[in-house]
Amino acid sequence: MQVPRPAHIKYSTDELLEVIDVFNVPAPVLDRIRELLETSDPAPNAGNLFRYYNPRSKAAAFEQAYAEKVGCRYALTVNSGTSALIAACIAAGVAPGDEVIVPAYTFFASVSAIVVARGIPVIVDIDESLTIDPEAIRAAITPRTRAIMPVHMIGHSCDMDPIMAIAREHGLAVIEDTAQACGGTYKGKYLGTCGDLGCISLDAYKVIGAGEGGIVTTDDEMLYMRVQSYHDTAACWRPDRFARERRPGELFCGENYRMPELCAAVALAQLRKLDGINAATRAIYHQLRREIQLPAGARWVEPHDPDGVCGYTLGILFASQADAARAAELGIGGLAVKDTKGVRDWHVFWNWEHILEQKTATPEGFPFRSPYVDRLPGYSPDMCPRTKEIMLRLGTIAISSADTPEWASAYAAELNQGFARLFA
Ligand SMILES: Cc1ncc(COP(=O)(O)O)c(C=O)c1O
């Protein structure tokens, strides 16, 4: 006979209230939540999914819901967008000395992920769409190129058709950095599902957030297994944890990039809001474009697919850098211009000191200095002049899903008056 043991209650109201406190909810909501937690019956266990012995895994539930939403075969949650990119590079077979083509305008994490995966970033120009220029990709291909990493910046899609055509012509993997464009589309396809692997960030500042988190998507079973292996080396789920390797390349040493279940729970709730958030910002984006009268010589940043933009940033390309700087001086809330406040912006290549000077964590300089590398791309603060010229003419307006048509009209009127005054 076994001695009856007291029930082990590891998580209770205390932990849940701490989690809720992260979101800075108003006091009446907190009272209501406390009341619910302390009075309601536990929810039934039906319909939940297993992950790592957890029968109610929110990470597994999120993966299923996300894959269904965007129409991909596999979605894997990870602990950040950066982890997603590193795991995707590894899955795609980026090896020491392999080159990965990446745009000169992206958050530095894209470039860093390539180096962490032991690849050599080859940084190329964007065009006026603010996304990687397909012709610049073509010009940068060498026998060492392994992959292309287009980045869908500020919710605008890259021009995926020509990019995929170039990749297929040269047998290159395409890893879409979709950190900034969750729920955006290109010709009806969700961003992140056009290439071989898609990487999304769910950090607190993205279209939807989980505090921290990321997703890797793919349709290819082997790529999925390799991302799986890398993201959870301790557990080795593939899906059978203790099975021997079924194919070469399935099992190898990796990291622990598992998404915490608490973040996954937030992500699952946020996913239900994704379409609403994008529809709201997209509507204001198009309204502002109709109502703002741009000064002479200025143009809107034209997305490759206007119906598929996330819509949280509206870009204006001024006629000159001086015009952009004058516009920034307008002092109208939200109109931002690059590099005007003396702050080094990590989104533009000329500030990427880590790459320009090949700074590495240890002094031997790997992967830049290694027997696998014959020749490095010419890294310099002048290497992508077109990108610099475009970025210094760019003004951006941030749009929130809480913005109303009335706010947009008033904001457009204020901006129009300011432009008329400044650029008369
Ligand atoms: C283009 C881009 N790539 C990658 C990342 C990295 O995502 P995370 O912060 O989730 O690691 C970001 C985050 O800002 C990003 O903007």
Side-chain angles (χ1 to χ4, degrees):
M1 194 193 99
Q2 276 201 328
V3 181
R5 299 179 86 166
H8 177 209
I9 301 172
K10 188 165 177 183
Y11 304 110
S12 69
T13 315
D14 299 338
E15 289 77 14
L16 291 169
L17 287 173
E18 282 299 335
V19 172
I20 290 159
D21 189 49
V22 172
F23 299 100
N24 200 15
V25 289
V29 179
L30 200 57
D31 290 345
R32 175 83 186 113
I33 292 169
R34 185 179 286 117
E35 192 186 306
L36 277 174
L37 289 174
E38 285 169 359
T39 56
S40 65
D41 293 332
N45 206 1
N48 287 295
L49 295 166
F50 255 97
R51 168 68 49 85
Y52 219 144
Y53 309 121
N54 175 359
R56 305 170 73 95
S57 171
K58 297 295 176 187
F62 177 86
E63 287 165 4
Q64 191 179 66
Y66 190 79
E68 267 169 28
K69 163 136 203 71
V70 302
C72 66
R73 278 183 75 194
Y74 305 101
L76 183 77
T77 47
V78 290
N79 57 4
S80 73
T82 307
S83 305
L85 290 166
I86 297 167
C89 286
I90 299 280
V94 171
D98 281 352
E99 295 174 354
V100 180
I101 299 174
V102 63
Y105 169 47
T106 178
F107 185 52
F108 178 67
S110 326
V111 191
S112 178
I114 297 167
V115 178
V116 172
R118 303 160 308 152
I120 301 293
V122 175
I123 297 159
V124 304
D125 267 321
I126 56 161
D127 57 28
E128 289 199 349
S129 71
L130 306 185
T131 62
I132 196 163
D133 175 359
E135 284 316 308
I137 296 177
R138 194 183 283 287
I141 292 173
T142 74
R144 294 309 310 265
T145 310
R146 165 71 66 163
I148 306 168
M149 187 184 284
V151 186
H152 306 297
M153 286 303 280
I154 57 169
H156 291 45
S157 70
C158 299
D159 201 1
M160 290 309 294
D161 282 348
I163 293 171
M164 291 311 294
I166 294 168
R168 294 298 171 250
E169 191 186 320
H170 293 272
L172 305 174
V174 174
I175 300 167
E176 289 174 75
D177 182 338
T178 315
Q180 298 195 6
C182 188
T185 55
Y186 174 79
K187 300 187 180 174
K189 248 178 129 37
Y190 277 100
L191 300 179
T193 66
C194 306
D196 299 292
L197 289 142
C199 299
I200 288 101
S201 165
L202 296 171
D203 79 26
Y205 308 101
K206 297 302 188 288
V207 180
I208 55 170
E212 295 288 353
I215 320 164
V216 184
T217 52
T218 184
D219 283 336
D220 182 297
E221 192 198 355
M222 190 59 178
L223 288 177
Y224 174 66
M225 287 302 154
R226 283 172 61 80
V227 176
Q228 263 269 14
S229 284
Y230 194 73
H231 106 296
D232 193 3
T233 201
C236 303
W237 299 112
R238 295 159 283 124
D240 181 350
R241 185 174 187 186
F242 302 110
R244 286 190 67 82
E245 181 178 64
R246 295 170 299 172
R247 283 156 69 182
E250 184 185 65
L251 201 57
F252 50 88
C253 300
E255 310 254 0
N256 174 358
Y257 289 166
R258 289 194 305 267
M259 179 186 245
E261 284 291 336
L262 293 177
C263 293
V266 178
L268 192 57
Q270 286 266 297
L271 184 58
R272 295 183 202 118
K273 301 180 183 173
L274 177 63
D275 289 343
I277 291 170
N278 279 329
T281 48
R282 198 176 286 147
I284 299 291
Y285 168 100
H286 287 297
Q287 184 188 344
L288 287 176
R289 280 187 58 137
R290 286 192 303 273
E291 295 187 14
I292 294 171
Q293 288 136 31
L294 294 180
R299 285 201 300 270
W300 297 114
V301 172
E302 293 298 346
H304 290 293
D305 185 342
D307 298 331
V309 286
C310 292
Y312 61 83
T313 301
L314 182 57
I316 301 170
L317 287 171
F318 288 93
S320 66
Q321 193 180 331
D323 275 7
R326 282 170 75 201
E329 280 163 24
L330 263 182
I332 295 177
L335 183 68
V337 174
K338 294 271 164 211
D339 262 16
T340 45
K341 295 186 188 126
V343 178
R344 287 208 300 173
D345 180 338
W346 290 134
H347 293 82
V348 287
F349 73 94
W350 62 89
N351 289 329
W352 297 340
E353 167 188 333
H354 341 40
I355 299 295
L356 301 182
E357 298 171 25
Q358 293 121 67
K359 290 187 190 302
T360 52
T362 45
E364 87 296 331
F366 190 86
F368 297 108
R369 285 190 289 283
S370 91
Y372 301 99
V373 178
D374 310 327
R375 184 198 63 93
L376 281 178
Y379 297 127
S380 101
D382 307 314
M383 65 189 164
C384 293
R386 185 147 177 246
T387 301
K388 191 162 187 178
E389 191 276 328
I390 292 168
M391 293 312 296
L392 293 178
R393 282 192 291 120
L394 176 68
T396 53
I397 294 168
I399 296 168
S400 124
S401 57
D403 292 338
T404 59
E406 295 70 34
W407 171 87
S409 287
Y411 180 78
E414 194 183 345
L415 206 57
N416 288 342
Q417 275 176 18
F419 283 158
R421 215 175 43 245
L422 257 189
F423 296 97

